[in-house]
Amino acid sequence: MFTVDFRDEIAKEDNIDSFSVTLCARESLSVLQSFVDHYQLAGAEQIFLYIDDEKDVSDAVAAALAPYAFVTVQGCDEAFWKEAYPDERVPSLPQKQQVLYSRAIGLNTSDWLFFCDADEFIVGDRPIGKALAQVSDDILGVRLMNSEAVWGPGDDIGQPYGCSYERLSFGVSRQVKSRKKRFLRAVFAMLVYGRDWREMIKGIAGHSMGKHFLRRGVHPERMNSHFSFIAGTRIPYLPQDIRMQHNWRVVHFDAISFGRWQEKWQGRLSGSTNTGRIGASRVAQLDATRRAFQNGKPQRLFRRFYVLNRWQQFVLMRFGLLKRLHN
């Protein structure tokens, strides 16, 4: 949806690496269809799609996506997880990812395998394989930085993928290491987001950790969707000079629409979705969202987190932390 069709360009290129994609999802068919369409145009050789839901749901997804020969759908129902984790009532998302990613690594035949979620899209001006081909052979995995899709004044929050802007993490545009710089970042967050500054993760509502690729056949010591550890070291980000050549990044729709956001957080609040350990900002979001649902005001909170007012739009643009999303 955000990528021109790179397939012809990929077919003509000699110095380009291939890639496949894997994800564990519990999403509507329309969301999965958008994901598959995007990565087909982006040039993915394979998609290993694991459906974390009941068998009839995964069967319906497999039937709907059957015309896409490059998509492999695997259902992961309660019986599947009970076999994998017999002592867990509801395995956490990291536990599920560990099992499924290991399977995908074994199945992958492309040069690289990309780990992401159904609301995340690689975006750039050229095929991502051009960037991957430039990575030194001794680097076994790389991370891509992420932006967050958000609504501007006047955007329709009920329209899936109806965002006009990409919001960047405070940590993406500047290195924050010293205590003084951390303090200044907190002050900046207060000025931009007011009372919600603690709920923002480095200035965004989702995550700021990016997503990652591994070379074919690499089995890391431990991993999640954001990064892997190899030889005791977290894999690096894609080198800046390579990333900047054609503006590669991952656009994250932490809220695809207001309706989807409600469904996602209701699952988390009910306990049907076990996210595992989460950071302080996510805990604060969980508490705020619980109160909003209890008070019957979820849309007000959604707008505070994901819809920019004029002041936020101006300040973030001024500091290079917001740009138009061309979709």
Side-chain angles (χ1 to χ4, degrees):
M1 89 177 47
F2 311 100
T3 308
V4 298
D5 191 342
F6 289 138
R7 290 173 294 180
D8 287 345
E9 186 174 353
I10 291 170
K12 296 174 184 177
E13 289 277 2
D14 292 326
N15 187 26
I16 189 168
D17 283 2
S18 60
F19 77 99
S20 291
V21 182
T22 186
L23 69 157
C24 173
R26 181 181 291 177
E27 290 285 0
S28 68
L29 182 57
S30 63
V31 169
L32 296 173
Q33 183 79 58
S34 296
F35 180 91
V36 168
D37 287 342
H38 174 84
Y39 281 97
Q40 183 180 44
L41 298 180
E45 286 194 338
Q46 297 173 285
I47 293 179
F48 304 106
L49 172 57
Y50 297 96
I51 301 299
D52 183 20
D53 215 320
E54 297 302 320
K55 185 177 185 302
D56 59 340
V57 175
S58 59
D59 286 347
V61 171
L65 297 181
Y68 297 87
F70 72 109
V71 179
T72 300
V73 178
Q74 166 71 60
C76 305
D77 58 9
E78 186 176 354
F80 177 93
W81 294 120
K82 197 64 180 176
E83 181 178 349
Y85 293 102
D87 298 327
E88 297 283 348
R89 187 179 68 84
V90 180
S92 68
L93 181 58
Q95 287 177 311
K96 292 178 177 180
Q97 289 172 339
Q98 190 71 43
V99 169
L100 300 180
Y101 290 169
S102 180
R103 289 181 178 228
I105 289 170
L107 293 171
N108 177 50
T109 58
S110 301
D111 295 319
W112 297 84
L113 182 61
F114 182 54
F115 304 85
C116 65
D117 296 323
D119 56 5
E120 293 170 321
F121 302 85
I122 291 177
V123 173
D125 302 329
R126 295 289 305 283
I128 187 63
K130 291 288 292 182
L132 297 173
Q134 297 177 59
V135 177
S136 173
D137 291 343
D138 62 331
I139 297 178
L140 302 181
V142 291
R143 299 163 67 186
L144 274 183
M145 292 180 174
N146 70 277
S147 64
E148 180 179 73
V150 292
W151 282 260
D155 287 346
D156 181 4
I157 63 174
Q159 176 64 39
Y161 309 106
C163 308
S164 293
Y165 294 91
E166 291 179 69
R167 178 168 56 184
L168 305 182
S169 161
F170 294 171
V172 169
S173 62
R174 61 194 65 188
Q175 295 297 320
V176 182
K177 297 179 180 179
S178 70
R179 181 177 298 179
K180 180 179 179 181
K181 287 185 177 180
R182 288 197 299 270
F183 172 75
L184 291 175
R185 187 178 70 184
V187 171
F188 184 68
M190 292 177 196
L191 290 173
V192 175
Y193 297 111
R195 60 176 172 168
D196 298 319
W197 75 275
R198 291 184 184 277
E199 282 81 2
M200 308 304 284
I201 303 167
K202 296 181 181 178
I204 59 180
H207 66 80
S208 61
M209 295 183 287
K211 288 299 164 84
H212 77 293
F213 290 86
L214 290 178
R215 288 190 186 273
R216 180 176 60 237
V218 172
H219 287 268
E221 296 146 21
R222 51 194 179 94
M223 67 182 301
N224 54 39
S225 66
H226 302 291
F227 50 79
S228 289
F229 282 84
I230 299 173
T233 302
R234 184 183 296 185
I235 62 172
Y237 280 107
L238 185 71
Q240 185 175 11
D241 61 329
I242 298 177
R243 178 176 60 84
M244 295 295 289
Q245 284 180 32
H246 298 289
N247 193 27
W248 287 287
R249 76 272 190 204
V250 176
V251 179
H252 177 209
F253 284 81
D254 193 52
I256 292 173
S257 66
F258 173 58
R260 179 64 189 105
W261 175 84
Q262 288 189 99
E263 294 172 359
K264 181 168 69 174
W265 279 96
Q266 284 170 340
R268 290 173 175 172
L269 292 170
S270 69
S272 61
T273 300
N274 180 359
T275 58
R277 293 182 61 185
I278 56 177
S281 294
R282 276 298 199 196
V283 172
Q285 287 181 19
L286 187 67
D287 292 339
T289 306
R290 181 181 290 109
R291 292 193 299 270
F293 276 102
Q294 290 173 345
N295 296 332
K297 299 178 180 179
Q299 185 175 139
R300 180 179 297 181
L301 182 69
F302 177 89
R303 289 185 175 277
R304 281 164 39 195
F305 283 174
Y306 297 101
V307 183
L308 303 173
N309 59 38
R310 298 290 181 185
W311 162 251
Q312 292 166 339
Q313 183 185 37
F314 169 77
V315 173
L316 293 177
M317 278 283 194
R318 176 67 178 80
F319 283 88
L321 294 166
L322 184 71
K323 59 184 180 180
R324 295 288 300 190
L325 176 62
H326 301 291
N327 54 355

